[in-house]
Amino acid sequence: MSGRALLMWDDAVTAYDFGPSHPMDPVRLSLTMGLVRAYGLDKVVDVVAAPPAGDSTLRLVHREDYVAAVRAASKDPSAADQSYGLGTMDDPAFAGMHEASALIAGQSVGAAEAVWRGDAAHAVNFAGGLHHAMPGGAAGFCVYNDAALAIARLLELGAERVAYVDVDVHHGDGVQAAFWDDPRVLTISLHEHPRLLFPGTGFPSETGVDGTAVNVALPAGTGDEGWLRAFHSVVPELLAEFRPQVLVTQHGADTHFEDPLAHLAVSLDAQRAVQEACHALAHEHVPGGKWVALGGGGYAVVDVVPRSWTHLVGVAAHAPVPPESVIPASWRDEVFARTRQLGPGRMTDGRAVLWRDWESGYDPADALDQAVVATRRAVYPLRGLLA
């Protein structure tokens, strides 16, 4: 197994572009890659590009008629079939949509294949994490569900247990739906409460079949300490019980307090701490530390997303970027040239990373603790664990 991590990257992924007024601005991808290069991380990972996912791969998750509808909308956006979620406000059709979406999916599938083969222990595709796409429809800025496709390919290659951990502010509904009744896949999603945020799913009572799905629905306003407490009160114990052969994680940056589309108050420093926790859990609970890390949401496209995912690349590469480091001026110049915004100056929000372990006891009157208790009571008995 190679000692170097893989970074899946093809400049053409930035063609995944819903238009100038859409919050998912592909500049977030190019700026992230620019910051990765500014820190020299492209020299300590193997930067590789996989081919686009072909139809046979896409059909591991998506219906044939849906793939055909995406192809048709890609050729003629004006004729997009909204019954498939295409040509909507969230998912406007654009020329080349199929090709760009299949390319992003291909990077996640390629990452999964490489990790399974042992070419590298860790692989990152920060352009991926498009977790809302359903087998028969686009949703929530997601056309093809690259995370689900990566897991499906792992199963096809012989994996018997794959764990998926999603820390995007939105529920990982598409991945949960794809493997709802498959005991080979454990999906865990920590997200803002579904009564308050798209897609309106992800209640603790959604447990799949015999506990294949785990959902932690966080109160609006949850900050670093609560977010980290919830993660560490649920994820490590479940991974220890499940014993995955591969860990797939989704690191949407939209939990951040600056993100315009949600209501959590998480800092960059806490996001980095969860990335490090996922890395450590992969080495602790997965043979060979097999870990595929994906991006996801994130709409503070200058201040937050590039820093968060550059940290992710550094963590996966065993070359973490010091939070206190001053961001290279060359990257800040690139930011201004591309966006006319002033980029952030350091790789930190200056927050201390602290939380209370669950073993220290919980407060039944605290909303965050109530959320954790609801999840543990719903799913732990199904998995033979004490709630």
Side-chain angles (χ1 to χ4, degrees), residues 10-18 29 52-53 70 74 94-107 127 130 143-144 146:
D10 186 318
D11 287 340
V13 297
T14 59
Y16 191 83
D17 187 353
F18 291 115
L29 302 180
V70 175
S74 186
F94 60 92
M97 179 172 61
H98 167 78
E99 289 76 13
S101 302
L103 183 62
I104 290 174
Q107 304 318 300
L130 304 179
V143 177
Y144 293 140
D146 63 284

Side-chain angles (χ1 to χ4, degrees), residues 216-241:
V216 186
L218 301 169
T222 297
D224 289 1
E225 184 175 356
W227 194 62
L228 292 166
R229 177 168 165 80
F231 179 93
H232 288 281
S233 299
V234 172
V235 176
E237 196 169 358
L238 287 168
L239 293 184
E241 180 274 330

Side-chain angles (χ1 to χ4, degrees), residues 23 27 41 44 90 101 107-108 112-113 128 130 133 151 162 164 181-182 194 287 312 342 347 350 353 364:
V27 75
L41 294 173
V44 296
D90 275 1
S101 302
Q107 304 318 300
S108 293
E113 291 172 340
L130 304 179
I151 295 169
V162 180
Y164 173 74
D181 58 356
D182 192 332
L312 179 63
L342 298 175
M347 291 293 284
V353 178

Side-chain angles (χ1 to χ4, degrees), residues 42-229:
D42 58 323
K43 302 298 191 296
V44 296
V45 297
D46 291 327
V47 180
V48 298
D55 282 8
S56 62
T57 297
L58 294 173
R59 287 199 296 270
L60 292 174
V61 169
H62 295 290
R63 295 200 319 250
E64 186 174 359
D65 60 311
Y66 172 60
V67 175
V70 175
R71 283 186 178 277
S74 186
K75 293 177 181 176
D76 181 5
S78 67
D81 188 341
Q82 291 196 5
S83 69
Y84 290 102
L86 303 169
T88 62
M89 185 176 295
D90 275 1
D91 296 275
F94 60 92
M97 179 172 61
H98 167 78
E99 289 76 13
S101 302
L103 183 62
I104 290 174
Q107 304 318 300
S108 293
V109 171
E113 291 172 340
V115 166
W116 183 253
R117 286 193 306 263
D119 295 348
H122 311 327
V124 178
N125 176 26
F126 58 73
L130 304 179
H131 59 171
H132 295 307
M134 292 292 177
F141 313 162
C142 305
V143 177
Y144 293 140
N145 195 319
D146 63 284
L149 287 164
I151 295 169
R153 177 53 59 85
L154 288 167
L155 299 177
E156 188 179 48
L157 293 173
E160 297 174 347
R161 293 181 307 281
V162 180
Y164 173 74
V165 177
D166 187 319
V167 297
D168 193 288
V169 78
H170 301 92
H171 178 224
D173 58 336
V175 184
Q176 175 180 287
F179 303 106
W180 178 260
D181 58 356
D182 192 332
R184 298 173 297 174
V185 181
L186 175 68
T187 65
I188 306 173
S189 179
L190 290 83
H191 46 266
E192 187 175 341
H193 200 287
R195 288 198 185 95
L196 306 171
L197 196 66
F198 176 90
T201 58
F203 290 90
S205 57
E206 297 171 31
T207 57
V209 175
D210 297 328
T212 53
V214 182
N215 289 289
V216 186
L218 301 169
T222 297
D224 289 1
E225 184 175 356
W227 194 62
L228 292 166
R229 177 168 165 80

Side-chain angles (χ1 to χ4, degrees), residues 189-378:
S189 179
L190 290 83
H191 46 266
E192 187 175 341
H193 200 287
R195 288 198 185 95
L196 306 171
L197 196 66
F198 176 90
T201 58
F203 290 90
S205 57
E206 297 171 31
T207 57
V209 175
D210 297 328
T212 53
V214 182
N215 289 289
V216 186
L218 301 169
T222 297
D224 289 1
E225 184 175 356
W227 194 62
L228 292 166
R229 177 168 165 80
F231 179 93
H232 288 281
S233 299
V234 172
V235 176
E237 196 169 358
L238 287 168
L239 293 184
E241 180 274 330
F242 186 63
R243 298 179 298 110
Q245 294 167 302
V246 185
L247 176 63
V248 180
T249 58
Q250 196 267 22
H251 297 271
D254 42 10
T255 52
H256 195 272
F257 56 77
E258 287 187 15
D259 198 273
L261 298 189
H263 318 99
L264 297 191
V266 174
S267 73
L268 187 76
D269 303 283
Q271 291 179 345
R272 182 180 186 271
V274 161
Q275 295 165 5
E276 291 177 326
C278 289
H279 182 204
L281 289 166
H283 282 290
E284 183 176 356
H285 297 297
V286 182
K290 291 181 170 64
W291 178 33
V292 176
L294 309 174
Y299 309 100
V301 299
V302 170
D303 286 346
V304 177
V305 173
R307 291 189 297 161
S308 186
W309 292 346
T310 297
H311 275 308
L312 179 63
V313 174
V315 168
H318 299 100
V321 177
E324 67 278 5
S325 66
V326 175
I327 291 176
S330 60
W331 183 79
R332 299 187 74 210
D333 291 344
E334 178 187 355
V335 167
F336 188 77
R338 296 288 301 273
T339 70
R340 288 298 184 259
Q341 296 182 46
L342 298 175
R346 293 183 183 273
M347 291 293 284
T348 178
D349 288 330
R351 303 289 180 87
V353 178
L354 302 169
W355 73 92
R356 289 188 303 115
D357 287 332
W358 193 250
E359 289 71 21
S360 65
Y362 70 93
D363 179 358
D366 180 79
L368 187 281
D369 282 6
Q370 290 171 2
V372 173
V373 167
T375 298
R376 290 172 66 101
R377 287 179 177 171

